[in-house]
Amino acid sequence: MKSNSVEFQSYMIECASSLGQELEHPTGALLLPLVQLQNMADVNYRNLSTVDNTIRNHMNGLDIEMKVQSFQAEFKRWKDSLPIVCQQPNGMNLACEVASMHVYEMDLVNICAPKKRQTTNPCKHLTSSSFTSQIRLEVLFLGLKSAGQLAQNFLSIPISEYGSLSYIQWSSIIYAITIIYRLTVGIPQLRDWDIRVARRTIDFECVLDAFCSRFNSVSLCGRDLLENGDLFSMMGSIFENIKQTYDRVKQLPQNDSADDNSPVHATSFPPSTLE
């Protein structure tokens, strides 16, 4: 399976290189660096993935630090090699933050990450003292900052340009919000993570208010799309639901908020959004 993945990545790079040499559209120049970036992020994500490493052996702080430094050096070389035309677009800025938070969250935050088949979940049985280290928490903090920066970059994009964003770019903001949410309420397998630090670093309430305001204005303009179940037009209601749930959970002590299994507001929408 791993061999097939490497072959596919090589094929993608070959195709992107070819398209970059014979541009049909100006954005074709972005294909090769974006594929390179995704490959780099995937490799470094696997290197730091707790699922991979708790099965084989437990990485110590020095191992993690060296792997992070290696990724940062590789990432800098890649950015320095970009043509000027590729360095400014919003899409490239978003992609850079996605790559960083993907690597730094170390498979601890993203609940949608594919898990390797195994008989037991190693994370479930590890205590806080055996599983965490200061360097691991520092790396996770970098992931939080990347997610926060991605949210700010997304908010800097004019609403008029939202219609031209790709599915991947829309997915990236969902990914970022998931990471910020979980790190500001806590995650069960990292009891040493301090949500107070996370909340001081990212004002999640302010971020949610900005998204609610922005997407509600979009929703009001897309009534006909809303009737057809268009997700884009429902984003305002979705973020309102996230905000309501966060307002409730943030009042709980960290141990309770990290383990919260209460019904969420996102299971229902106001009747006005569905009429």
Side-chain angles (χ1 to χ4, degrees), residues 4-275:
N4 290 339
S5 176
V6 172
E7 290 176 1
F8 178 73
Q9 291 173 353
S10 298
Y11 176 71
M12 287 291 293
I13 290 178
E14 182 181 341
C15 291
S17 299
S18 176
L19 290 172
Q21 293 171 4
E22 300 178 7
L23 294 179
E24 295 182 10
H25 304 281
T27 52
L30 298 174
L31 288 175
L32 180 58
L34 286 173
V35 171
Q36 292 172 332
L37 176 61
Q38 183 62 49
N39 287 348
M40 183 199 319
D42 285 343
V43 169
N44 285 277
Y45 167 78
R46 288 193 295 268
N47 286 343
L48 284 170
S49 170
T50 59
V51 170
D52 285 343
N53 288 288
T54 50
I55 294 173
R56 293 196 305 267
N57 56 8
H58 182 64
M59 284 194 298
N60 59 38
L62 182 59
D63 292 330
I64 297 173
E65 187 171 17
M66 290 177 63
K67 289 179 184 297
V68 168
Q69 289 176 350
S70 176
F71 164 68
Q72 291 174 336
E74 183 181 8
F75 186 62
K76 183 179 186 305
R77 287 194 298 270
W78 171 83
K79 288 192 73 172
D80 291 344
S81 70
L82 287 178
I84 296 297
V85 69
C86 296
Q87 293 180 9
Q88 302 302 324
N90 288 322
M92 186 60 73
N93 290 336
L94 292 176
C96 287
E97 299 302 339
V98 172
S100 295
M101 69 182 186
H102 180 51
V103 171
Y104 294 142
E105 61 98 356
M106 300 181 291
D107 202 33
L108 290 168
V109 185
N110 182 14
I111 58 175
C112 297
K115 308 297 182 185
K116 290 192 173 183
R117 188 175 300 173
Q118 53 197 46
T119 55
T120 60
N121 181 355
C123 297
K124 184 177 181 180
H125 303 290
L126 290 170
T127 64
S128 178
S129 59
S130 67
F131 187 66
T132 59
S133 66
Q134 186 59 39
I135 184 62
R136 190 184 296 278
L137 298 178
E138 290 173 1
V139 174
L140 202 57
F141 182 74
L142 293 175
L144 173 66
K145 291 178 66 175
S146 294
Q149 186 58 55
L150 189 149
Q152 292 302 323
N153 287 347
F154 200 93
L155 287 168
S156 71
I157 299 174
I159 293 177
S160 59
E161 295 182 19
Y162 279 3
S164 63
L165 297 180
S166 69
Y167 168 78
I168 296 297
Q169 290 167 322
W170 281 105
S171 298
S172 71
I173 190 57
I174 295 172
Y175 189 8
I177 293 298
T178 299
I179 287 178
I180 299 172
Y181 180 92
R182 298 200 76 206
L183 289 179
T184 51
V185 302
I187 49 181
Q189 64 267 43
L190 277 181
R191 299 298 183 182
D192 287 349
W193 176 260
D194 192 339
I195 60 174
R196 295 170 300 180
V197 175
R199 292 176 185 178
R200 286 197 297 268
T201 302
I202 304 292
D203 188 344
F204 194 36
E205 293 174 88
C206 182
V207 170
L208 288 176
D209 283 340
F211 273 101
C212 286
S213 174
R214 175 163 288 210
F215 284 116
N216 279 333
S217 67
V218 172
S219 299
L220 293 174
C221 298
R223 188 72 180 179
D224 55 332
L225 295 176
L226 182 60
E227 292 175 355
N228 295 323
D230 181 80
L231 178 62
F232 179 73
S233 298
M234 294 184 69
M235 290 295 280
S237 296
I238 290 171
F239 272 94
E240 288 286 357
N241 282 310
I242 295 172
K243 186 175 185 302
Q244 289 179 42
T245 303
Y246 183 69
D247 285 343
R248 173 180 61 80
V249 176
K250 74 180 181 184
Q251 305 299 329
L252 303 175
Q254 178 166 340
N255 284 348
D256 293 335
S257 64
D259 293 318
D260 182 71
N261 289 315
S262 301
V264 296
H265 296 86
T267 56
S268 62
F269 292 92
S272 60
T273 64
L274 301 175
E275 292 176 354

